[in-house]
Amino acid sequence: PHPNPPTMTTATEDEFNAMKKVMWKRRIIWKDCAAACKAALACHDSFESQYFCANYLVKALPMICGRGDTDEELSSAFDDWCGANRRKHSHPSPDQTEHFKTSLRCSVKLVLLGLLRQDLRFLHMVNPVLDARSEIYRYCRPENRDAHDEAQALLRELQATWLEWGGDAMKKDLLELQQALDAATQVLYAAIFPFVAQGPAQPL
């Protein structure tokens, strides 16, 4: 079932501060990222939330779902920080599994709500989250297999949420809208600058 987004609102000060805290940092603090995603979802129809998604989340999701902090050819950030036998087990920070889960659960819903608004900025944002080929899901270090199993269960949960809300259909409709807008833009451009549409001038 499709949710019915409410009318436009403004983020509260706490929600704004949670998003602002992570916006310009060069590295991801998993706890802060989860708090920011929760805040963005709570005020998803606000300008602040949509700005956060378009300018931060789109860059953060490939990192959350991507490679770990190692020179090895295959790794995952999830394996680095999550599970009893996480790669960074000696780091003073505790297991970050719940922060990863919160960030990704909120992100999928934020993208679905963006598609409902027909916001083209959200069209491909969720790809790394739902792709079983992303490192978070396909990488398995034997010593941390329990964490890998949790990641696989999370993928199934996120895919179920996507299907329940009709994500594929909304994405298809938005792709068709984008193609129609691109075609209209080309027609308009050709009408305004006909000499460009005709190609370079031929020598006499």
Side-chain angles (χ1 to χ4, degrees):
H2 291 187
N4 296 315
T7 56
M8 195 73 166
T9 62
T10 301
T12 66
E13 183 177 355
D14 287 345
E15 291 165 348
F16 174 75
N17 287 335
M19 291 182 280
K20 181 181 177 182
K21 187 174 183 179
V22 303
M23 281 288 290
W24 312 119
K25 288 190 175 178
R26 298 180 62 181
R27 58 189 294 264
I28 295 181
I29 306 298
W30 307 113
K31 180 179 179 180
D32 293 343
C33 180
C37 290
K38 286 179 66 176
L41 183 59
C43 61
H44 63 84
D45 55 335
S46 69
F47 167 80
E48 295 89 346
S49 173
Q50 292 165 35
Y51 183 89
F52 167 82
C53 292
N55 292 277
Y56 174 80
L57 200 57
V58 67
K59 300 174 184 177
L61 289 178
M63 298 176 67
I64 297 171
C65 299
R67 292 185 60 186
D69 185 16
T70 172
D71 293 332
E72 294 184 16
E73 183 176 349
L74 186 59
S75 61
S76 79
F78 190 85
D79 178 68
D80 277 1
W81 295 99
C82 302
N85 295 307
R86 56 192 178 278
R87 189 189 300 274
K88 292 182 178 289
H89 63 275
S90 60
H91 194 279
S93 297
D95 184 356
Q96 302 292 302
T97 301
E98 289 308 311
H99 300 318
F100 272 76
K101 288 182 176 181
T102 296
S103 295
L104 295 180
R105 285 166 176 157
C106 292
S107 296
V108 168
K109 292 179 180 179
L110 282 164
V111 170
L112 287 163
L113 291 163
L115 296 181
L116 276 175
R117 293 191 301 271
Q118 295 190 319
D119 190 331
L120 291 171
R121 297 174 299 176
F122 288 73
L123 190 53
H124 302 293
M125 193 181 298
V126 80
N127 288 1
V129 181
L130 299 177
D131 189 347
R133 296 169 296 180
S134 292
E135 284 87 345
I136 184 175
Y137 307 122
R138 69 188 179 99
Y139 177 68
C140 178
R141 189 164 49 89
E143 299 90 337
N144 203 22
R145 178 170 290 278
D146 288 347
H148 173 71
D149 293 342
E150 281 208 58
Q152 289 290 317
L154 178 62
L155 173 62
R156 292 191 292 271
E157 175 191 334
L158 298 174
Q159 289 174 335
T161 299
W162 179 263
L163 292 174
E164 181 184 358
W165 286 32
D168 287 338
M170 288 193 288
K171 191 171 183 179
K172 179 176 179 292
D173 291 344
L174 201 54
L175 279 169
E176 292 175 353
L177 175 62
Q178 183 181 47
Q179 292 168 357
L181 290 173
D182 289 344
T185 299
Q186 291 176 2
V187 171
L188 181 61
Y189 190 80
I192 298 174
F193 305 105
F195 58 88
V196 176
Q198 293 168 5
Q202 299 299 318
L204 296 174

